Amino acid sequence: MTAQHAARIVLPHELPSAPWANRAGHTKEISVSTKSGPECSSDMRSVDYEWRFSLAELTRAADFSLLPGIDRVFTLASYGPLTLTVDGLECTLRLGQKVKFTGEAAVTIELDTAEPQLGLNLMTRRGSCTGSMSVERLDGKVALDPSTGIVAATVLEGTAALSDGRKLADLATLVLGAQSEELEAEGCLVAIATVRPV
């Protein structure tokens, strides 16, 4: 389930936006892995994925699409607050807080502010792989090892740098390749996506 290509930095403003399956919102796909292997796909309508990592643009109250057979982790990537209701259970999210649910769950969102909100979505195909998100305040040097299942790291707040000097800030995502990468950060809030085979 780990990427086989070189690591790359994905910037949200460079990504095309595509409508949700139910047309109630828009998504920018950061990275996707199909049965043939990891790739950065522009075909956002594809349903033949093992896992998919994307950034949703939330501008109004809406229902999430139903995605049978998919497990999801939603992480708020903006300051919020945002109200997320999963099968009738309501919770209020702020930056970096996350909720895990199945693609069959009835999920609605309500914006508690006039400002649009952003959410990272990690989706994994049940029976093939499992996904998790950890949100950490990083200080110093941190190794990201794809052999442990880490596929991507998104900067939610602050700035981090790779060992070659490239910077990550403002929702930039490091999509890992086959090799470990080292981030150097000072009080940087980072969301780390992990995918492991079943």
Side-chain angles (χ1 to χ4, degrees), residues 30 51 53 73-77 96 98 120-122 130-139 141-146 148-157 160 168 172-176 181-183 185 188-196:
I30 297 169
W51 60 264
F53 190 47
V73 186
F74 176 90
T75 305
L76 191 62
K98 58 189 184 296
L120 289 169
N121 278 300
L122 177 62
T130 61
S132 62
M133 293 289 294
S134 64
V135 178
E136 304 175 21
R137 184 74 65 179
L138 301 182
D139 282 293
K141 293 182 179 180
V142 179
L144 301 175
D145 186 354
T148 65
I150 295 174
V151 295
T154 301
V155 172
L156 300 181
E157 186 178 63
L168 290 90
T173 297
L174 176 67
V175 178
L176 292 185
E181 298 289 338
E182 187 176 74
L183 280 182
C188 182
L189 190 66
V190 178
I192 299 171
T194 299
V195 178
R196 294 186 177 92

Side-chain angles (χ1 to χ4, degrees), residues 43-91:
D43 179 12
M44 300 202 192
R45 301 177 196 280
S46 173
V47 294
D48 183 29
Y49 58 82
E50 297 296 289
W51 60 264
R52 185 173 181 242
F53 190 47
S54 60
L55 181 69
E57 304 168 303
L58 312 170
T59 59
R60 62 179 176 86
D63 296 331
F64 277 16
S65 302
L66 293 175
L67 299 171
I70 300 296
D71 291 321
R72 305 180 64 169
V73 186
F74 176 90
T75 305
L76 191 62
S78 51
Y79 287 98
L82 178 141
T83 299
L84 189 76
T85 303
V86 180
D87 287 338
L89 297 176
E90 185 179 292
C91 61

Side-chain angles (χ1 to χ4, degrees), residues 12 14-30 41-46 52 54-58 65 121 123:
E14 296 177 348
L15 297 172
S17 182
W20 293 355
N22 67 3
R23 305 287 169 170
H26 286 80
T27 289
K28 294 183 174 185
E29 188 171 87
I30 297 169
S41 171
S42 60
D43 179 12
M44 300 202 192
R45 301 177 196 280
S46 173
R52 185 173 181 242
S54 60
L55 181 69
E57 304 168 303
L58 312 170
S65 302
N121 278 300
M123 295 178 278

